């Protein structure tokens, strides 16, 4: 039976510099290599089916990727998912930004079909190797690390029923960019690429926002008139500054309540801000991505240890695409605006149908998992209701197991956390 369905597409960044390091292992143990896929980092898979990628979609992809400049990634370390060994790109942020940008535009195509809670950028080395082969592969890879590669384009690849084939190339900061001088100080394309990256970062951090406008009214009209008069005085005196210009445009926007006119004013605000940023670039100002390293952002998940008579409740995962067939605690990602305790209470209710009073939860452990996960573990010995499998589509068994004798096939990191808790360690690292 074919591993892939004809007509599938993916967006990838090929990494030819990786081939001397990973090539022989991928040939043996990476299932995608059998179908003609070279060493790569996935931007988004699966993307739209091939018959949906028409001239309009191609044009949109070209404009979208043109807003991002080329960048370097360095591969220093290996990492593991269940059953998968990979190389970790650094920094991962630009690759995440590409994924987020495509996903925002085509929300019907979530990364990996929505099977995983987070799409971690990675270069797969082995996904079909026996677990006892991983140490040998990692030792061999270490001799070729680190190496650096240039990400200059995104490829659209499609599966034709026999192999994956490269069909379209989308330069980063390339064809379709806003001007022809990307990379020069003060370039419009460079500034727009920075704006696009910042927009993606804001969406990732704050989610999609749509609060009220809060504009219009006589007091804001008066403020706009005052700013306009100040701009005119500065112009007459030959003392006009970018501050004068942008201040006047912003207050003009604040004075508008009609949506169409407000939008037009905001476009003017954005245009002035971009032109000011271009002017600063032309004077040698440092681009945002060069000013400082991006602040680390962790993905937080919560785990609940339900303990009764010295035994721990575990569920066996099924049909999720992650760690299926392995035992895990009731757990999940912390949702926006939710406290860790609220998240633990919610996960216990959703997965095993019990109600826990927050006062009956005791924080017992924190685990930092490479590269960007923080797990918070809570213990409860009292709850309302008898636990049952409340998510049969994701779990095929619930069992109680002795705290000091976890079953074979327990997911690795919660198993390590449970052992650390038993040894009295409040904190552990995993995967570094």
């Amino acid at each position: 039976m074919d591993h892939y369905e004809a007509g599938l597409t993916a967006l990838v960044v090929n990494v030819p510099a990786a081939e001397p390091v990973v090539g022989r292992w991928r040939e043996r143990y990476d299932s995608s290599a059998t179908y003609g896929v070279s060493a790569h980092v996935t931007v988004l898979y699966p993307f739209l089916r091939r018959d949906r990628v028409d001239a309009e979609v191609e044009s949109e992809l070209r404009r979208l990727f043109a807003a991002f400049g080329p960048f370097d990634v360095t591969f220093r370390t290996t990492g593991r998912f269940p059953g998968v060994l990979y190389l970790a790109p650094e920094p991962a942020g630009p690759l995440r930004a590409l994924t987020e940008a495509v996903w925002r535009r085509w929300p019907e195509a979530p990364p990996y079909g929505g099977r995983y809670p987070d799409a971690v950028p990675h270069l797969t080395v082995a996904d079909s190797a026996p677990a006892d082969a991983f140490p040998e592969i990692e030792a061999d890879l270490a001799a070729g690390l680190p190496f650096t590669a240039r990400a200059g384009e995104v490829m659209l690849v499609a599966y034709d029923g026999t192999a994956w084939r490269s069909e379209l190339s989308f330069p980063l900061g390339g064809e379709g960019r806003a001007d022809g001088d990307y990379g020069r100080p003060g370039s419009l394309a460079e500034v727009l690429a920075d704006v696009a990256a910042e927009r993606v970062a804001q969406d990732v951090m704050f989610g999609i926002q749509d609060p009220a406008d809060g504009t219009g009214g006589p007091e804001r009209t008066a403020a706009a008139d005052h700013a306009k008069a100040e701009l005119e005085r500065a112009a007459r005196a030959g003392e006009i500054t970018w501050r004068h210009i942008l201040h006047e445009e912003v207050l003009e926007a604040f004075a508008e309540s009609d949506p169409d006119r407000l939008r037009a004013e905001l476009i003017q605000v954005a245009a002035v801000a971009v032109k000011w940023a271009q002017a600063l670039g032309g004077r040698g100002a440092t681009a945002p991505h060069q000013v400082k390293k991006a602040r680390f952002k962790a993905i937080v998940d919560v785990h609940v240890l339900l303990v009764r008579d010295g035994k721990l409740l575990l569920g066996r995962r099924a049909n999720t695409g992650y760690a299926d067939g392995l035992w895990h605690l009731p757990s999940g990602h912390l949702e926006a605006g939710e406290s860790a305790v609220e998240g633990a209470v919610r996960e216990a209710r959703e997965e095993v149908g019990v109600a826990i009073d927050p006062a009956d939860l005791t924080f017992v452990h924190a685990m930092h998992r490479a590269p960007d996960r923080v797990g918070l573990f809570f213990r409860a010995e009292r709850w309302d209701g008898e636990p049952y499998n409340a998510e049969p589509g994701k779990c095929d068994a619930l069992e109680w197991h002795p705290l000091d004798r976890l079953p074979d096939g327990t997911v690795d990191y919660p198993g390590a956390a449970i052992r650390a808790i038993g040894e009295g360690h409040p904190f552990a690292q995993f995967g570094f």
Side-chain angles (χ1 to χ4, degrees):
M1 185 170 120
D2 218 345
H3 193 74
Y4 302 102
E5 180 182 346
L8 287 177
T9 69
L11 295 163
V12 302
V13 173
N14 286 327
V15 188
E19 293 292 355
V21 180
V22 305
R24 73 186 188 98
W25 296 113
R26 291 189 68 247
E27 288 178 7
R28 292 174 62 183
Y29 294 128
D30 183 358
S31 57
S32 71
T34 307
Y35 294 89
V37 180
S38 58
H40 68 281
V41 177
T42 298
V43 173
L44 196 142
Y45 166 82
F47 185 50
L48 306 180
R49 293 194 61 81
R50 186 62 185 91
D51 57 10
R52 284 195 57 195
V53 183
D54 55 15
E56 182 177 352
V57 170
E58 178 182 348
S59 178
E60 286 197 58
L61 285 169
R62 201 165 297 285
R63 287 195 298 270
L64 184 150
F65 290 125
F68 294 84
F71 55 91
D72 290 334
V73 288
T74 299
F75 297 86
R76 305 178 190 278
T77 60
T78 59
R80 295 188 189 185
F81 303 130
V84 176
L85 179 65
Y86 65 88
L87 299 184
E90 301 175 15
L95 292 160
R96 285 184 179 275
L98 294 175
T99 299
E100 289 287 340
V102 179
W103 185 17
R104 294 294 182 195
R105 172 56 188 83
W106 287 279
E108 70 271 32
Y112 301 103
R115 294 197 306 269
Y116 307 118
D118 179 44
V120 177
H122 63 282
L123 190 156
T124 298
V125 179
D127 62 9
S128 59
D132 58 8
F134 279 12
E136 177 191 359
I137 301 172
E138 288 172 322
D140 181 74
L141 294 174
L145 302 178
F147 66 88
T148 298
R150 184 70 165 171
E153 65 179 358
V154 176
M155 298 295 300
L156 183 136
V157 296
Y159 186 66
D160 64 6
T162 59
W164 285 93
R165 306 190 188 280
S166 298
E167 298 208 351
L168 296 170
S169 170
F170 303 101
L172 298 175
E175 296 176 19
R177 61 188 178 232
D179 64 4
D181 60 354
Y182 188 93
R184 297 181 186 176
S187 156
L188 175 59
E190 184 176 51
V191 174
L192 291 179
D194 289 334
V195 171
E198 175 60 23
R199 277 285 293 106
V200 170
Q202 290 176 6
D203 286 347
V204 171
M205 181 174 292
F206 303 114
I208 302 298
Q209 298 174 302
D210 188 18
D213 297 326
T215 57
E219 70 282 2
R220 294 187 180 87
T221 299
D225 291 342
H226 179 77
K228 186 175 182 179
E230 182 183 5
L231 174 65
E232 291 172 348
R233 284 194 298 271
R236 286 194 297 271
E239 299 172 351
I240 195 168
T241 66
W242 281 112
R243 179 190 65 80
H244 289 105
I245 300 170
L246 186 60
H247 184 239
E248 190 267 343
E249 291 289 357
V250 168
L251 292 187
E252 286 282 352
F254 285 178
E256 290 292 353
S257 57
D258 176 78
D260 292 337
R261 289 197 292 270
L262 174 57
R263 184 183 186 281
E265 290 291 346
L266 288 173
I267 294 299
Q268 293 180 42
V269 170
V272 171
V274 165
K275 194 166 185 178
W276 189 356
Q278 284 185 263
L280 290 170
R283 295 181 227 150
T286 305
H289 63 276
Q290 298 172 325
V291 173
K292 61 179 181 180
K293 189 174 181 180
R295 181 175 295 176
F296 174 74
K297 299 182 182 68
I299 299 167
V300 179
D301 42 50
V302 291
H303 304 73
V304 183
L305 286 74
L306 295 176
V307 180
R308 174 190 286 170
D309 300 327
K311 293 185 176 181
L312 178 68
L313 184 65
L314 297 174
R316 189 168 61 197
R317 298 177 63 88
N319 307 313
T320 67
Y322 168 73
D324 290 336
L326 302 183
W327 296 94
H328 205 330
L329 296 165
S331 60
H333 288 95
L334 199 61
E335 296 183 352
E338 186 177 51
S339 74
V341 171
E342 289 170 340
V345 170
R346 174 182 52 76
E347 290 294 343
R349 181 182 67 252
E350 291 177 353
E351 295 193 14
V352 295
V354 300
I356 304 176
D357 187 323
D360 291 329
L361 279 173
T362 301
F363 174 72
V364 290
H365 189 71
M367 174 176 277
H368 185 192
R369 309 196 311 277
D372 55 3
R373 300 292 185 111
V374 174
L376 305 177
F377 293 76
F378 295 86
R379 177 176 175 138
E381 298 185 7
R382 297 174 54 189
W383 55 82
D384 291 329
E386 183 62 22
Y388 68 95
N389 185 359
E391 293 186 327
K394 300 179 181 179
C395 173
D396 63 10
L398 288 182
E399 291 183 4
W400 294 92
H401 292 272
L403 277 163
D404 58 353
R405 292 195 305 277
L406 298 178
D408 292 338
T410 299
V411 177
D412 50 8
Y413 78 85
I418 293 165
R419 288 189 290 273
I421 292 167
E423 295 167 1
H425 301 307
F427 173 76
Q429 296 185 145
F430 187 87
F432 286 92

